[in-house]
Amino acid sequence: MTVQKNILKVGKAIHRIDARSKVRGAEKYASDYYGQNLVWAGVKRAGIPHARIKNIIIEKTKNLTGVISVLTYRDIHGSNRQGVIRRDQPVLADDKVRHCGDAVALVLAEDQAVLKEALDLIAIDYEPLPGIFSIGKALEQGAPLIHEEHPGGNVLLKGDLKTGRGEAALEECDVVVEGYFTVPYQEHAYLETEGGWALLTEDGHLEITASTQTPFRDLAEVAEALGIERESIRIRAPYCGGAFGGKDGITVQSLLALAALHCQGRPVRMVWDREESFIAGVKRHPGSLHYRLGAKADGTLYALSAEVYYDTGPYDHLGGAILALGLEHAGGPYRIPHASIRGWSVYTNNPVAGAFRGFGVPQVAAAMEQTMDMLAAKLDLSPLEMRRRNAVHRGDKTPLGVTLISSTGLAECLDAVAEHALWKEKERWKASAGSSKKRGVGIACVMHGMGYGPIVPDYANAKIELTKKGAFRIFCGVVDMGQGNASTYLQIAGDILNQDMDHLELVLPDTEKTLPSGSASASRTTYTFGNALIGAAEALKKRILQRSAETCASDPNDGLTMVLRPGSVFHPPTGKEIPLSQIVRMLDESERISVFEFRAPVTQERPTEDENLRLHGIPHRIFSYGVHLAYVEVDELTGKVEAQRYLAISDCGRIINPQVFEQQIQGGIAQGIGYALCEDLVVARGKIQTPNLSTYVIPTAMDIPEMESIAIEKQEETGPFGLKGAGEIAIDGPLPAIANAVADACGVRIFHAPLAAGRVLTALEAKRGGKEVKA
Amino acid sequence: MKISFTLNGKKIRVDVPPDRRVLDLLREDLSLTGTKEGCGTGECGACTILVNGESRLSCLMLAAQLEGCHVTTIEGVSSAKKLHPVQEAFIEHGAVQCGFCTPGAVLAAIDLLQRNAEPTRQDIREALSGNLCRCTGYQKIVDAVQGGSAKLKKGQTS
Ligand code: FES
Ligand code: FES
């Protein structure tokens, strides 16, 4: 049976196929290209948050030896606007700059040293405008407008959702709790900053290789912004060195394209340095949230009022969709018959906020799950019991009033927590804290919608080719930004086609070779493309078996008994085996290729008649679930919080590769711990004060505890092999679980994240002094 | 300035400005792009190389400092066919996601295991605390370094 041994079976913890080249340092990322005759491109950034541009002074720079070209908005012949939903972000600023990181001029130089000197020489003559640096300021009557033409003024998107009698029902509750929360920015801090290279070929083709999650969408945006034909652009997306949403949208693509148009056929490279990545890259939305949650005396949730404000910076950059997803998840995975959920995504002159793993959900989960603990305390219920009484089951309605018609495994997750040693032994652990240490345990329940919602089509086109050599070539339509989906695709194809690694090949996303399949985002990457791939693989398998039977067996019905083996077709009754390299000759060119489109199902229910909210993604149909549990220890002398143990129980449907799944969960938890405890992007008057990894601290190996991940493998009927999305759910839980644990340890709640040492110490001291805490 | 040093086992002589960053010398001039730049300021460890067997940050070193040294980059850790046991362990334990931190982490791990053949998990966390990873949460990297340690030990006894 050795032939069968290495089949890439679904469910097996197969080692990722990209790992080998990555451990050898052989994998080529977008920033790894240097090439002959290279041109270096760099960007002059605004440096001030809001101003009208009077003049861009470039003469001196142009005359510098080694400078090839200096480009401004005048050199752009398209719309000069990019964005996913609202195209409001210029490639190069024209009338005004709206945040410190706006790109104003693009310089092309012979080498890095000249480039740096040239950028320093550019002067910009501004007429400063009053800046808007807070949500409150942006919403004031008569506030200066960031986009004068935007009908909503400084409000990018507003949502107002109501179920039942809404907040009025709070009056009918036996207990009501209230909290004001703030959540900070979070920087993606992927190890690979934004970058890539481009080339204008002799026949006028623009070839861009970039670290991106969205090559097909980028292509349309670049074409429109620069006024070039879509057909003349090609975008390739190698493995990203991390992306997490920060490369869901244009970073360097249009700039590189513009540069290439002015490089006389020479390749041009641009890679942002870390500081530029901080200044110009997008961040998780900071926000403030006002929650009021009420229950009946028996602990049944009854009414919710949630107000959610997100600071989106000066550009849309998915900030509307992020708010919408936040609102949809604002009430958590609970049955709440009456809810008023309102939200504002607001333009400011602060750094641009955009997509970041979790996409608006970690913020609301932080508020909702802490409010749940406050309510449980008031009702004298354990946090777990409070959640068990209210957890959604399949067929229940969400706080938005949408029926959960897909698999819903939250109750099983809660059961698993209740049975787990970390839950059962928590009191003993807490009691054994050392001197001047306090210990606490917290939990949080989360859910996460998958896909784009009811309007934006969530589709993928898979393509498989049987090569002349008898191998299967999988055209991967969705980017692998590090999460391993490309590898998973081979596993899916290998399982269906009964192949080992030697007979599978992979083509990474390339707008000229692979087919449009949407973004690597929204926890939909493996769900949507995986389903498409199953269709393509099944069809090709059928065709191959049928054709081999027609040709090789006496009875054409033998197609039913023939089976695929690695590199061959086998006929068990006769023991006959034919190499695929031979079968391929019986197929026409077109028959060797199988293409299948899958469109994700959407829900028909309409919790809102606001078409704009629907366009921005409300509601979803399929959700993943999770329950997180954190053990923390607080140092009473310093206020430092240490996460010491961590457990995540997840319902992400069936698991295709347990190792890859665990990677997602552990990685999400670690980012969430950073969000909860140490990551603090300081912004003053629109300017980032912590633009590097020594002042903006992300967790090191010393800061992350041992984590345990358990999967409740509940079949999702519509999922490929029963799977649901797993990319984001793990980042929704850590902040609330840790905040609840800290409150448990300290006996005082800190409403502002991150729960950094200084803040915790202040709260502890205030408590000792008997003061009410507003840390 | 002409500099001579041993790179991945081969003696080489290069003509570079003495203030060229070793990271640029390796990546741009010598096409060894396995060494990554994550920050350029000594905070992330993605640019880790071994100089005379010890891990160093190539973004903070200048070319002139390499004179007479033995330098190992990730490309010199294994041959095309045979991986280093630590590399194998990184693959087996799922320590690689985006892979951008991986070359640096592998080299830091090799350095650690040369000094401490059987490190505890805490030793590993300390030794690799200068190698930031934004994807894995570190646990599988720690698993991998332990796995690498076991493999190296087995390799010695067999
Ligand atoms: S690139 Fe050298 S430490 Fe980050
Ligand atoms: S695997 Fe991506 S940074 Fe470590």
Side-chain angles (χ1 to χ4, degrees), chain A residues 417-491:
Chain A
V417 169
E419 290 305 312
H420 198 280
L422 284 177
W423 178 256
K424 289 183 169 164
E425 287 162 16
K426 67 182 170 46
E427 295 308 326
R428 188 145 44 99
W429 181 78
K430 275 157 60 175
S432 61
S435 67
S436 63
K437 305 274 193 211
K438 284 172 178 287
R439 286 177 167 183
V441 175
I443 60 166
C445 281
V446 288
M447 70 193 291
H448 203 103
M450 200 176 71
Y452 302 153
I455 309 265
V456 177
D458 185 346
Y459 67 92
N461 291 291
K463 174 174 159 185
I464 308 181
E465 177 187 352
L466 176 61
T467 68
K468 292 224 166 90
K469 289 202 172 118
F472 292 94
R473 188 174 289 153
I474 315 302
F475 292 79
C476 174
V478 196
V479 171
D480 186 332
M481 54 175 148
Q483 77 277 49
N485 50 303
S487 207
T488 302
Y489 299 157
L490 291 194
Q491 196 169 348

Side-chain angles (χ1 to χ4, degrees), chain B residues 8-66:
Chain B
N8 296 332
K10 278 203 200 87
K11 279 201 160 50
I12 65 160
R13 197 171 157 78
V14 290
D15 194 358
V16 284
D19 62 348
R20 187 144 176 82
R21 297 189 307 170
V22 169
L23 179 61
D24 296 323
L25 169 70
L26 293 171
R27 287 178 52 83
E28 196 181 341
D29 306 344
L30 300 170
S31 301
L32 295 173
T33 54
T35 307
K36 303 298 181 196
E37 174 162 4
C39 70
T41 49
E43 285 133 19
C44 74
C47 66
T48 301
I49 56 171
L50 299 182
V51 178
N52 299 332
E54 286 175 23
S55 68
R56 302 287 298 272
L57 300 174
S58 65
C59 73
L60 296 182
M61 288 187 80
L62 301 179
Q65 293 174 274
L66 292 185

Side-chain angles (χ1 to χ4, degrees), chain A residues 527-737:
Chain A
Y527 174 86
T528 309
F529 191 82
N531 268 325
L533 190 58
I534 290 174
E538 295 284 6
L540 187 57
K541 176 178 165 183
K542 197 171 156 206
R543 189 181 300 154
I544 290 169
L545 294 181
Q546 198 67 46
R547 193 61 55 90
S548 20
E550 283 161 13
T551 321
C552 317
S554 46
D555 179 0
N557 285 331
D558 263 6
L560 300 174
T561 50
M562 300 200 94
V563 291
L564 276 165
R565 272 190 174 180
S568 67
V569 170
F570 182 63
H571 186 241
T574 57
K576 200 169 162 189
E577 186 161 5
I578 319 156
L580 282 169
S581 54
Q582 200 174 318
I583 302 284
V584 78
R585 283 186 233 132
M586 304 164 195
L587 295 167
D588 180 69
E589 192 79 22
S590 62
E591 292 172 312
R592 293 196 287 114
I593 292 172
S594 172
V595 171
F596 190 86
E597 178 180 341
F598 174 79
R599 231 166 229 258
V602 296
T603 181
Q604 300 305 319
E605 283 180 292
R606 301 171 72 97
T608 172
E609 289 307 317
D610 183 337
E611 278 308 302
N612 205 19
L613 280 185
R614 284 168 42 80
L615 174 70
H616 283 82
I618 290 180
H620 286 74
R621 171 178 165 141
I622 302 168
F623 296 85
S624 296
Y625 297 86
V627 180
H628 285 207
L629 180 148
Y631 272 35
V632 306
E633 186 169 274
V634 182
D635 186 321
E636 289 185 276
L637 305 175
T638 62
K640 192 175 177 344
V641 178
E642 211 178 277
Q644 295 205 337
R645 293 293 301 273
Y646 204 96
L647 168 69
I649 304 198
S650 322
D651 162 29
C652 298
R654 284 264 151 76
I655 309 299
I656 290 185
N657 182 327
Q659 193 174 62
V660 171
F661 172 75
E662 217 170 70
Q663 290 181 335
Q664 281 305 299
I665 300 300
Q666 293 182 352
I669 293 169
Q671 279 178 344
I673 290 176
Y675 183 52
L677 292 179
C678 62
E679 296 185 31
D680 204 359
L681 192 88
V682 181
V683 179
R685 299 193 63 76
K687 207 171 179 133
I688 298 175
Q689 310 294 307
T690 51
N692 50 57
L693 296 171
S694 61
T695 51
Y696 180 89
V697 179
I698 67 168
T700 71
M702 301 283 283
D703 304 312
I704 303 298
E706 298 290 332
M707 299 168 271
E708 187 179 347
S709 159
I710 297 173
I712 302 292
E713 292 207 45
K714 214 175 159 74
Q715 176 88 4
E716 163 53 40
E717 295 87 344
T718 67
F721 296 93
L723 150 157
K724 295 192 284 195
E728 296 179 278
I729 185 87
I731 204 165
D732 300 333
L735 171 51

